Amino acid sequence: MKVLVAVKRVVDYNVKIRVKTDGTGVETAGVKMSMNPFDEIAVEEAVRLKEAGGVEEIIVVSLGVAQAQETIRTALAMGGDKGIHVETDQVLEPLAVAKLLKAIVDKEQPDLIVLGKQAIDDDSNQTGQMLAALLGWPQGTFASKLELTDGKANVTREIDGGLETLSLNMPAVVTTDLRLNMPRYASLPNIMKAKKKVIEKLTPDELGVDISPRLTTLGVEQPATRQAGIIVADVTELIDKLKNEAKVI
Amino acid sequence: MNVLVLAEHDNTLLKAQTLNTITAAKQLGDVTVLVVGHGCQAAAQACAQVEGVSKVLLADAPVYEHTLAETWTPLLVKLAETHGVIMAPATTTGKNVLPRVAALLDVQQISDITKVIDADTFKRPIYAGNAIATVKSGDAVKVITVRTTAFEAAPALGGSAPIETVDAVDVPTISAFVSADLTQSARPELTAASVIISGGRGMASGENFHLLEAVADKLGAAVGASRAAVDSGFVPNDYQVGQTGKVVAPDLYIAVGISGAIQHLAGMKDSKIIVAINKDEEAPIFQVADYGLVADLFDVLPELSEKL
Ligand SMILES: Cc1cc2nc3c(=O)[nH]c(=O)nc-3n(C[C@H](O)[C@H](O)[C@H](O)COP(=O)(O)OP(=O)(O)OC[C@H]3O[C@@H](n4cnc5c(N)ncnc54)[C@H](O)[C@@H]3O)c2cc1C
Ligand SMILES: Nc1ncnc2c1ncn2[C@@H]1O[C@H](COP(=O)(O)O)[C@@H](O)[C@H]1O
């Protein structure tokens, strides 16, 4: 069985981002970049499936600027076997990402695709669902548990009311939630080994995909900031303030 | 413009988020609400009474009993022939289903809108709400999920829309529902509550959440949590408030033993009044709190429930 994992290079989750003063976007120059945290979980899940037996190959795909290769290397050091980098400097919207991934899936024919549920930069939460739609495959989004048995993927999903389990025919698309697993750190020997693994390079043109954006960003602004309030001395003062000043209880 | 709103319901009652979504939809045109499910006549009737709804479409069929994106999508894609906007609240259902619809319509979805500027232009938060983007869509059909805390609820009564039934469309059988493990609680739902008290890693155990519940009982509050509290197994996943959990904006949000990471703030910083109870005076949560109390939560919570 073949598993394909999509990993995105994003501003590290610990960075406090700054909106550019000209309002055109968010400052990324000189900012620490990392693999999207949900995608680390996706890679980890693929590696665990391989360690459990039954998976022969893990293909790691990233789309975007040249440095996305570093993100692929990280995933290869975690246990991915082969990388594919679709290089472009253009802004990629989820629909374009899904189309590019579909073109790769048509070539590579994986049995399972694992993506993060959400990229923490655009917060779209769309790509996995879109890819499943374009392929006509079932989708198990926001997964906190994944089991493969007899050509089915059993996915437990985190939903607003609690948990739900679905049975999906394979091939299927799964997107990860935070509690699916705890991603490993790559060991030094594995980082060294990953340097020798192959990363195939492609372009959107070679894949025959039109990636023109459908949305125009007219501006990016900072949200209204909250003022810090006061520190109260004790519970009695807190209750008094909530009752008589804020009038919320 | 005809706007189709996908209702969130439990077959009988409408979820409050549907009402907020209807308010956003009204800003774009004439609102039709689609109720998909099995045995969901009562929910359709509830929709018909919402002020500002012009029409209700009822797709009531055994194949729609469970919210499977695979089965619901063909119906929505068909209805897009006669609706220029497809909208849903940004709940786990809306987030699961709508991108699948958008892809088949060859449309770039706009997720989590907080403001309608005009028929093509919307505001939406990015980077955990640390930036707000204004985006203009060039697609003929708009597919949109709505951040419900950013829109008032439409009045649940005052309308009398006709209900039309629609048939199931091309249902694929590539996925099946197996089971659900839903959290049972007599408390208000997080996204509908006017008061929320949330616990973090500082609560130290699941048992200690009874201290929070005692306060919640006094206030008629919902109980929420940080990711750390959920990951530690103190409470179920659906308690999580934040960038990747639920987004809430109650009148009063009380954060107890929560440090205030940006991912948590993303889910609650639009609350009207924020109270922080934390023993570390340096905790970032105090920077957004209207009222901070620097103290040990194990002293504060019993005293609070006693004095309220
Ligand atoms: C991709 C991603 C998504 C995430 N999504 C979310 C999300 O949706 N929601 C979310 O909440 N987090 C999310 N996080 C996690 C987030 O970064 C923080 O790790 C998390 O919010 C911390 O939870 P906490 O404040 O409970 O724990 P901590 O940061 O450990 O804080 C515990 C606090 O309790 C206080 N405390 C301890 N004991 C006591 C006591 N006896 N009395 C009073 N105070 C006490 C401490 O002073 C401390 O401030 C996400 C992270 C990532 C990477
Ligand atoms: N440029 C990209 N390269 C690789 N994977 C991506 C890219 N953009 C999105 N993805 C995948 O799609 C998931 C959801 O992203 P989004 O729909 O943008 O929130 C991510 O967690 C990744 O797994």
Side-chain angles (χ1 to χ4, degrees):
Chain A
M1 195 173 72
K2 236 187 203 185
V3 182
L4 190 137
V5 184
V7 299
K8 185 177 187 187
R9 178 176 183 267
V10 297
V11 171
D12 186 85
Y13 78 97
N14 273 315
V15 170
K16 191 155 174 24
I17 61 107
R18 275 190 309 116
V19 173
K20 287 185 190 161
T21 43
D22 63 2
T24 57
V26 164
E27 194 58 71
T28 51
V31 169
K32 182 177 178 207
M33 306 292 284
S34 301
M35 192 190 304
N36 184 40
F38 289 100
D39 305 352
E40 290 183 337
I41 297 172
V43 175
E44 176 67 33
E45 195 64 17
V47 175
R48 287 188 190 187
L49 286 172
K50 188 174 174 191
E51 286 169 348
V55 172
E56 285 89 46
E57 190 180 28
I58 300 170
I59 303 170
V60 179
V61 185
S62 191
L63 325 173
V65 294
Q67 297 92 320
Q69 283 214 22
E70 295 163 18
T71 313
I72 296 176
R73 287 279 171 221
T74 307
L76 296 178
M78 287 173 72
D81 296 299
K82 173 179 116 176
I84 299 178
H85 177 213
V86 181
E87 188 169 346
T88 172
D89 290 338
Q90 251 189 270
V91 174
L92 292 173
E93 292 171 349
L95 181 64
V97 173
K99 287 179 179 176
L100 291 167
L101 289 174
K102 173 170 189 295
I104 293 171
V105 169
D106 289 343
K107 285 176 39 161
E108 298 288 340
Q109 304 279 320
D111 306 278
L112 177 72
I113 309 172
V114 193
L115 304 90
K117 81 163 177 182
Q118 172 175 346
I120 60 163
D121 50 4
D122 62 46
D123 282 334
S124 292
N125 195 331
Q126 299 177 10
T127 307
Q129 297 88 313
M130 288 184 152
L131 176 60
L134 297 177
L135 291 163
W137 293 8
Q139 65 191 50
T141 52
F142 327 146
S144 64
K145 194 170 164 203
L146 171 62
E147 277 171 357
L148 306 183
T149 46
D150 312 327
K152 307 263 186 201
N154 287 317
V155 182
T156 300
R157 310 179 52 232
E158 295 204 357
I159 57 171
D160 285 343
L163 296 169
E164 169 188 271
T165 303
L166 304 180
S167 167
L168 312 178
N169 291 0
M170 303 261 277
V173 173
V174 171
T175 76
T176 61
D177 216 318
L178 293 169
R179 280 163 284 276
L180 184 58
N181 61 48
M182 270 277 279
R184 70 193 65 194
Y185 290 103
S187 65
L188 196 57
N190 285 343
I191 293 172
M192 299 314 287
K193 266 193 244 161
K195 293 195 170 147
K196 298 199 195 79
K197 293 180 182 173
V198 176
I199 299 181
E200 190 183 337
K201 268 184 127 185
L202 292 165
T203 64
D205 274 349
E206 284 165 350
L207 291 168
V209 176
D210 175 9
I211 57 166
S212 341
R214 307 295 185 80
L215 304 179
T216 318
T217 299
L218 301 181
V220 174
E221 67 202 282
Q222 230 177 310
T225 45
R226 268 190 102 95
Q227 296 296 325
I230 59 163
I231 296 290
V232 294
D234 52 28
V235 169
T236 308
E237 188 188 351
L238 177 63
I239 294 176
D240 173 61
K241 292 285 185 196
L242 292 177
K243 274 197 176 134
N244 302 315
E245 194 174 85
K247 300 193 179 17
V248 284
I249 59 171
Chain B
M1 181 74 80
N2 285 325
V3 185
L4 187 75
V5 170
L6 178 63
E8 182 98 18
H9 62 86
D10 66 0
N11 287 329
T12 313
L13 299 173
L14 267 191
K15 297 270 171 73
Q17 289 118 310
T18 307
L19 300 174
N20 308 92
T21 307
I22 289 169
T23 298
K26 277 198 269 194
Q27 297 175 18
L28 288 168
D30 207 37
V31 180
T32 298
V33 181
L34 171 67
V35 178
V36 190
H38 182 224
C40 52
Q41 184 82 37
Q45 266 148 14
C47 278
Q49 291 174 32
V50 177
E51 196 180 292
V53 173
S54 304
K55 196 182 359 175
V56 176
L57 298 179
L58 172 60
D60 191 337
V63 289
Y64 291 144
E65 180 177 359
H66 301 291
T67 320
L68 293 172
E70 296 79 7
T71 60
W72 289 28
T73 295
L75 175 66
L76 282 151
V77 168
K78 174 147 188 282
L79 290 170
E81 289 167 10
T82 46
H83 295 85
V85 183
I86 310 285
M87 233 186 207
T91 56
T92 48
T93 303
K95 290 176 187 170
N96 187 39
V97 177
L98 252 59
R100 193 166 176 110
V101 175
L104 295 182
L105 295 172
D106 195 30
V107 164
Q108 176 52 52
Q109 173 178 307
I110 308 160
S111 294
D112 248 329
I113 63 159
T114 52
K115 196 168 182 177
V116 175
I117 304 210
D118 62 36
D120 305 306
T121 318
F122 308 90
K123 289 201 183 205
R124 61 174 304 263
I126 53 175
Y127 289 90
N130 289 302
I132 311 289
T134 303
V135 294
K136 188 177 163 104
S137 165
D139 287 317
V141 176
K142 311 282 185 277
V143 179
I144 295 170
T145 63
V146 175
R147 175 161 295 199
T148 53
T149 53
F151 297 88
E152 295 285 324
L157 295 175
S160 59
I163 302 176
E164 266 175 38
T165 55
V166 290
D167 292 332
V169 180
D170 308 332
V171 174
T173 51
I174 48 178
S175 59
F177 172 84
V178 176
S179 62
D181 178 7
L182 302 182
T183 307
Q184 302 296 334
S185 167
R187 294 181 197 289
E189 254 189 86
L190 266 178
T191 50
S194 54
V195 180
I196 295 174
I197 179 162
S198 289
R201 197 196 308 274
M203 295 300 296
S205 77
E207 284 91 74
N208 290 334
F209 264 73
H210 76 259
L211 298 171
L212 275 189
E213 281 159 12
V215 178
D217 287 340
K218 290 283 171 66
L219 295 171
V223 175
S226 71
R227 173 189 174 183
V230 177
D231 284 6
S232 308
F234 302 170
V235 288
N237 63 282
D238 56 318
Y239 282 48
Q240 183 175 313
V241 170
Q243 179 185 18
T244 56
K246 287 183 180 147
V247 177
V248 299
D251 293 335
L252 174 60
Y253 187 91
I254 308 177
V256 184
I258 292 177
S259 61
I262 51 172
Q263 293 86 4
H264 188 79
L265 300 185
M268 46 64 80
K269 71 179 160 51
D270 293 327
S271 305
K272 207 166 125 210
I273 297 290
I274 296 174
V275 170
I277 299 168
N278 196 305
K279 67 178 179 189
D280 172 13
E281 62 179 336
E282 302 285 323
I285 189 78
F286 287 120
Q287 290 162 22
V288 299
D290 299 280
Y291 303 109
L293 180 53
V294 182
D296 193 307
L297 67 92
F298 294 106
D299 300 329
V300 170
L301 289 175
E303 191 183 341
L304 197 55
S305 54
E306 190 198 305
K307 289 189 174 158
L308 275 168

